Amino acid sequence: MPENNIIEEITPIIFWSVQGGEEEDGKIRISTIVPPLIKEKKRVLTLNVSLLNEGIKGFNLTYYNELKAGQIRLLFVDEAYAKRGLTRLINTVLTDPNISQRLYLVITRGNFHEFLSKHLDEADNIDYYLYRMFKHYEKKKQGEITVVNLHQFMKMLYSQVSDPRLPVFRAKGEEFQYEGTAFFDRDRMVAEIRGKDDQINQLLYRDRFVRYLVLPDLSVTLGHIRAHTRKKLSPDLSSLLIDIDLKGRVDELDSLERIEDVFQYAALTQKIERYLKENVIRLLSQMQKLQIDPLQIGRMNARPFSKPITRETWDRHWSTMKINVNVRLHLESPTKVKR
């Protein structure tokens, strides 16, 4: 029997939300909002199922139009489910040829179902709003939040020498707030970084724009930061060199007296450089202890016509590797600085 593709009789859905049930029953809870975009009263559809495809079939039995997964652009996964492993879920999604690999993956905590229920107004279109938010940050390469699509996640997951990362959001009442970046060991979420650690982590990718870099320990906020990062592995995999060039300006400072002249301004710049260097090394040391590689440093070892390094070999080198970091900060001089 051919598929039904009559526009009036199908409803494309923009997202799925997946939560794990009790570990012993193996059930998952899958939710979506219908209908998307059009001016009709919305509602949240939720089912407890054993398989993802079972949920899709169940939705079609409870909604008057056939739901099509081809327009899915967001996959929200509960934190507890992510800690058990995402391979099964991801493989199921990939079996549907209509689903784009450009869909965004997001880890959620809190009551996501309640959050959705508070945004069912006909004019709200919360599903489309969330999609546009991720699309914006991906396109502009802004380091305000982590953005990862299915294709990127799969590339990291099935690499022998790297691990995935995903954004973490908390649903609280009507709010959906970014909290940080989740790190994975293969397909299981094993760690999360927030605040300044997450901001510094964003700078470790090749080219990033960060609107604000807040450094509370120094009582300084840097603005309009453009980062260019280069990484170099030694041939014997004993050391890693990271060069970070940052351009920006001082947007906030606890005391303007510290930068009344160029000498104080230079001293402040050096202090920030040392602070960033120490925190980059500390962050990388945490990754080494967990034997995870969300920065995909191991992929730099790939050579044409050479045998790929195994995960076990890379973990051994990575966990003991010496990290060298250079930070060069180029700040716009305030107009009040004396020459």
Side-chain angles (χ1 to χ4, degrees), residues 208-224:
R208 278 290 186 274
F209 170 75
V210 179
R211 184 169 284 115
Y212 295 110
L213 181 60
V214 183
L215 306 175
D217 296 339
L218 301 181
S219 300
V220 173
T221 298
L222 304 181
H224 286 73

Side-chain angles (χ1 to χ4, degrees), residues 10 37 41 46-47 59 64 86 88 98 103 127 141 148 204 216 250 308 317:
I10 64 175
L37 302 183
K41 185 163 179 64
T46 300
L47 290 172
F59 284 154
Y64 66 86
L86 296 182
R88 173 188 165 193
N98 296 316
L103 70 86
D127 44 2
K141 291 187 178 180
V148 179
L204 293 174
V250 176
H317 284 288

Side-chain angles (χ1 to χ4, degrees), residues 23-65:
E23 287 195 58
E24 54 270 17
D25 67 12
K27 294 279 189 178
I28 60 174
R29 187 186 192 195
I30 177 173
S31 303
T32 193
I33 288 180
V34 291
L37 302 183
I38 64 174
K39 291 186 176 181
E40 181 181 318
K41 185 163 179 64
K42 300 177 184 294
R43 59 191 174 112
V44 180
L45 295 183
T46 300
L47 290 172
N48 292 313
V49 295
S50 299
L51 301 168
L52 192 64
N53 286 325
E54 180 187 353
I56 300 170
K57 182 178 180 180
F59 284 154
N60 284 325
L61 295 176
T62 58
Y63 189 63
Y64 66 86
N65 273 353

Side-chain angles (χ1 to χ4, degrees), residues 261-315:
D261 57 50
V262 292
F263 300 105
Q264 292 172 327
Y265 197 71
L268 175 64
T269 300
Q270 292 174 1
K271 187 175 182 179
I272 296 173
E273 288 175 342
R274 287 195 301 270
Y275 178 83
L276 292 175
K277 176 180 178 178
E278 291 169 0
N279 279 274
V280 167
I281 293 174
R282 179 181 56 79
L283 186 58
L284 288 168
S285 296
Q286 293 176 3
M287 298 177 187
Q288 288 178 299
K289 289 178 182 178
L290 291 170
Q291 291 191 344
I292 58 174
D293 185 8
L295 295 174
Q296 304 180 63
I297 293 167
R299 295 182 60 195
M300 297 166 53
N301 183 60
R303 298 289 185 274
F305 312 111
S306 63
K307 185 178 179 180
I309 190 172
T310 65
R311 178 62 187 242
E312 291 72 21
T313 301
W314 172 246
D315 283 348

Side-chain angles (χ1 to χ4, degrees), residues 57-234:
K57 182 178 180 180
F59 284 154
N60 284 325
L61 295 176
T62 58
Y63 189 63
Y64 66 86
N65 273 353
E66 180 182 354
L67 297 177
K68 289 282 188 176
Q71 292 298 315
I72 286 181
R73 291 296 179 265
L74 298 163
L75 182 57
F76 297 104
V77 182
D78 179 65
E79 178 184 19
Y81 189 95
K83 289 181 177 179
R84 298 180 200 170
L86 296 182
T87 296
R88 173 188 165 193
L89 174 65
I90 296 300
N91 286 342
T92 302
V93 171
L94 287 174
T95 59
D96 190 334
N98 296 316
I99 294 180
S100 169
Q101 290 199 11
R102 301 288 294 181
L103 70 86
Y104 301 113
L105 299 175
V106 185
I107 302 299
T108 63
R109 59 167 56 105
N111 194 330
F112 190 67
H113 188 276
E114 179 188 4
F115 164 75
L116 295 177
S117 299
K118 290 183 178 294
H119 289 275
L120 296 182
D121 183 84
E122 292 179 5
D124 208 335
N125 289 333
I126 188 63
D127 44 2
Y128 187 66
Y129 165 79
L130 292 174
Y131 165 67
R132 293 300 303 173
M133 177 184 70
F134 285 101
K135 185 72 173 176
H136 166 78
Y137 283 110
E138 178 187 49
K139 183 178 180 180
K140 300 299 182 181
K141 291 187 178 180
Q142 286 186 228
E144 311 298 327
I145 69 173
T146 295
V147 180
V148 179
N149 63 43
L150 179 62
H151 173 74
Q152 294 166 333
F153 184 87
M154 293 297 298
K155 190 174 181 180
M156 292 183 283
L157 177 61
Y158 289 111
S159 167
Q160 281 290 315
V161 290
S162 64
D163 294 289
R165 66 187 187 279
L166 288 178
V168 180
F169 279 76
R170 177 179 293 278
K172 186 176 182 181
E174 295 184 359
E175 302 296 322
F176 193 57
Q177 300 170 336
Y178 178 71
E179 292 212 326
T181 300
F183 291 151
F184 285 72
D185 183 355
R186 278 75 163 186
D187 73 326
R188 291 184 303 106
M189 177 180 168
V190 295
E192 178 191 354
I193 55 172
R194 303 184 186 185
K196 76 172 188 301
D197 284 343
D198 189 38
Q199 292 180 88
I200 291 171
N201 174 63
Q202 302 292 346
L203 301 178
L204 293 174
Y205 297 95
R206 182 170 175 80
D207 294 294
R208 278 290 186 274
F209 170 75
V210 179
R211 184 169 284 115
Y212 295 110
L213 181 60
V214 183
L215 306 175
D217 296 339
L218 301 181
S219 300
V220 173
T221 298
L222 304 181
H224 286 73
I225 295 293
R226 295 195 178 276
H228 180 66
T229 302
R230 298 173 301 279
K231 308 180 190 74
K232 185 177 181 180
L233 274 174
S234 63

